[in-house]
Amino acid sequence: MKSRNLATISLVVMACGFLITLFLPDNIPFELLRGGFEAGLVGGIADWFAVTALFRHPLGLKIPHTSLLLKSRDKIVQSLISAMENELLNKASIENKLRGIRIIRLAGGLLTRFMSRKKVRAEILEQVSTFVLRLPVEQAVPYLQKTAAEYIREAELGGAADTIATRLMNDGKDVAALDYALEGVSGWTARPETRAMLGKLASEKLAEVKLGGLKGMAFQAFVGFMDADMLGEMLQGMLQSGIRDFREEDNPYREQIIREIRVALFQLVNDETKISSLKEWAVNGVQGEEATAFLQKQLEVVRSKAIAMLEEDRVSGGRKLFSLYGLLARRVSKETELIQGWEERIRASLIALVEANHYRIGVLVKENLDQMDDDSLVNMLEEKVGKDLQWIRVNGAVCGFVVGLVLTVIQLI
């Protein structure tokens, strides 16, 4: 039963009791009851008037000093704001509470419980897959090309190339390159078609030679004696013999060629003109249509693989995602100093936020109360404190009844 109904019932009981006792015989028991119900009725009516006068005008009559809450609305609002700002939610209490909270550990625990749910991991992976699928990779290509071109233009290729060349020579890569080239040439010269080509070429060039006198006669005799096959075989043998000599480590010609290669290489890496030309060539290549198509294709491939990997993990319940989270969490938990630093920075930021916006608590309370009309405010206050106030009415009626009995007894004595 609601307290308001109970208070009304108590007042009705006192009124009915008093009316009934008016028509009963005048003897001591009935006089006691009449005195008790009369005093209870007076006490109940007085307390009803007092409680009602707090919220509204009793019976709609604008009696002075009634509807006290509405008349003192501004004072009540300011009291509420003051209580919220200075007592219930003052700056010091909020700051002390923040200093007692281990923010990183609390956040980590909440995140771990969150990530331990299979449904949550699947949802995260699905959202990430959707995000990756919607990424406009074609818009990233010009940015990548621009970044690569700027890097090439600003890069100090001369110093880097000199370092690389020195490292290659120290590791003997120039010698290895020469041996590789000689091996390739040796294989090429050993082919029958190479021998035929050399013979044909030599025969054609010898036919073009014009000499007179005895030298001419001798030369013509030699050319007439040597056919294309013989010339090709002779040249093939000479080339293979020369290559074998060059592959011997103590061959002086080999050392001379290696020195020439090294000199030419260092001249190349220190030639600013050629380095600039190389840069320009690289920039043009990076910004060309072929590079654009290549980059876009590679980004699409990367996206497809990423989506496939995410989908595979989603189907398996996000095990890889949780393993990755666990690995990161364990790694971070070992960084005590780092965590402490984060704690201090976050706490300092929160305290600064509280100090800068603490006044907004009062502003928010005032705005919410100002939005309420008088009836809404009265109803809200009655819902919050009306129950206890209605018991005042009940107690007034009961106490009045008891006092009435005592006073009647005194009158009878």
Side-chain angles (χ1 to χ4, degrees):
M1 183 181 295
K2 293 184 178 180
S3 58
R4 175 178 291 185
N5 295 336
L6 183 60
T8 302
I9 290 173
S10 66
L11 183 60
V12 171
V13 168
M14 295 301 166
C16 292
F18 175 69
L19 291 174
I20 292 173
T21 55
L22 290 177
F23 300 98
L24 294 177
D26 291 335
N27 53 42
I28 293 176
F30 290 141
E31 287 182 5
L32 289 173
L33 288 175
R34 185 184 304 118
F37 283 125
E38 181 180 6
L41 178 60
V42 172
I45 292 175
D47 288 338
W48 165 82
F49 183 89
V51 171
T52 303
L54 288 173
F55 300 101
R56 55 181 62 85
H57 297 293
L59 301 177
L61 301 174
K62 294 185 178 182
I63 302 172
H65 304 294
T66 58
S67 188
L68 299 177
L69 293 179
L70 294 180
K71 289 181 179 178
S72 304
R73 175 171 180 156
D74 292 339
K75 293 181 180 179
I76 294 173
V77 170
Q78 292 302 322
S79 298
L80 288 174
I81 293 173
S82 178
M84 292 290 291
E85 291 182 342
N86 301 319
E87 297 179 18
L88 301 178
L89 292 174
N90 57 72
K91 292 182 182 179
S93 64
I94 297 175
E95 292 176 5
N96 291 334
K97 189 66 176 178
L98 288 174
R99 289 189 175 92
I101 298 176
R102 302 187 67 176
I103 300 173
I104 300 298
R105 174 173 291 186
L106 177 62
L110 293 175
L111 184 59
T112 299
R113 287 195 294 272
F114 182 74
M115 291 295 295
S116 62
R117 301 175 185 173
K118 183 177 179 180
K119 183 178 180 180
V120 170
R121 297 196 299 270
E123 181 66 23
I124 291 174
L125 290 169
E126 184 176 355
Q127 293 298 326
V128 173
S129 297
T130 303
F131 173 76
V132 173
L133 184 61
R134 293 178 179 177
L135 283 175
V137 294
E138 65 280 357
Q139 297 181 10
V141 172
Y143 175 77
L144 293 175
Q145 289 178 301
K146 180 180 178 181
T147 303
E150 290 178 353
Y151 176 79
I152 293 172
R153 290 191 184 99
E154 296 175 1
E156 296 292 338
L157 296 184
D162 187 89
T163 302
I164 294 173
T166 303
R167 179 65 180 273
L168 291 175
M169 293 177 187
N170 292 335
D171 293 342
K173 300 301 181 181
D174 53 341
V175 177
L178 176 61
D179 290 336
Y180 179 79
L182 291 173
E183 183 177 357
V185 174
S186 177
W188 176 75
T189 57
R191 298 174 184 174
E193 58 269 23
T194 303
R195 182 175 63 246
M197 182 194 70
L198 291 173
K200 182 180 179 182
L201 181 61
S203 179
E204 291 176 353
K205 294 303 177 182
L206 288 174
E208 295 176 359
V209 177
K210 304 296 182 181
L211 292 175
L214 294 176
K215 290 182 179 180
M217 293 175 61
F219 180 76
Q220 290 299 325
F222 172 76
V223 172
F225 176 75
M226 300 292 291
D227 58 10
D229 291 336
M230 294 175 66
L231 289 171
E233 184 176 358
M234 181 179 67
L235 291 174
Q236 185 182 48
M238 293 171 62
L239 288 172
Q240 289 183 333
S241 176
I243 292 172
R244 284 194 297 271
D245 292 340
F246 280 129
R247 298 179 72 174
E248 294 179 359
E249 295 184 0
D250 57 348
N251 188 285
Y253 299 110
R254 174 186 174 89
E255 294 296 331
Q256 185 176 356
I257 291 176
I258 292 175
R259 284 194 299 271
E260 292 296 330
I261 291 174
R262 292 177 176 176
V263 170
L265 185 58
F266 275 112
Q267 287 177 344
L268 175 63
V269 299
N270 290 285
D271 191 333
E272 294 294 335
T273 302
K274 292 182 178 178
I275 292 295
S276 299
S277 300
L278 180 62
K279 283 185 177 182
E280 193 62 30
W281 171 81
V283 167
N284 292 333
V286 167
Q287 294 179 332
E289 294 182 359
E290 293 182 359
T292 302
F294 174 79
L295 286 173
Q296 186 166 345
K297 181 179 179 181
Q298 296 305 311
L299 289 175
E300 291 290 350
V301 170
V302 171
R303 174 160 63 183
S304 299
K305 291 182 178 180
I307 292 175
M309 182 182 68
L310 292 170
E311 179 62 21
E312 180 183 356
D313 194 34
R314 187 189 69 81
V315 173
S316 66
R319 295 179 181 177
K320 293 181 180 179
L321 176 62
F322 191 71
S323 298
L324 177 61
Y325 168 76
L327 178 64
L328 292 174
R330 287 190 296 271
R331 179 68 181 85
V332 171
S333 64
K334 296 178 181 178
E335 301 293 337
T336 308
E337 294 182 359
L338 182 62
I339 292 176
Q340 187 175 1
W342 286 353
E343 288 268 5
E344 293 299 330
R345 284 192 289 271
I346 294 173
R347 186 177 293 109
S349 299
L350 291 176
I351 290 175
L353 183 64
V354 169
E355 291 179 349
N357 297 277
H358 185 262
Y359 73 95
R360 295 183 185 276
I361 296 176
V363 173
L364 180 61
V365 172
K366 190 175 188 308
E367 288 179 352
N368 290 334
L369 291 176
D370 288 343
Q371 291 175 1
M372 301 176 67
D373 56 23
D374 291 345
D375 292 337
S376 299
L377 179 60
V378 169
N379 292 332
M380 182 194 74
L381 292 174
E382 282 187 319
E383 289 179 0
K384 302 302 180 183
V385 299
K387 181 178 180 181
D388 295 330
L389 293 177
Q390 295 303 323
W391 276 105
I392 293 177
R393 293 174 56 190
V394 176
N395 293 335
V398 174
C399 290
F401 181 81
V402 174
V403 171
L405 292 176
V406 173
L407 292 177
T408 302
V409 170
I410 294 173
Q411 288 178 352
L412 292 176
I413 294 176

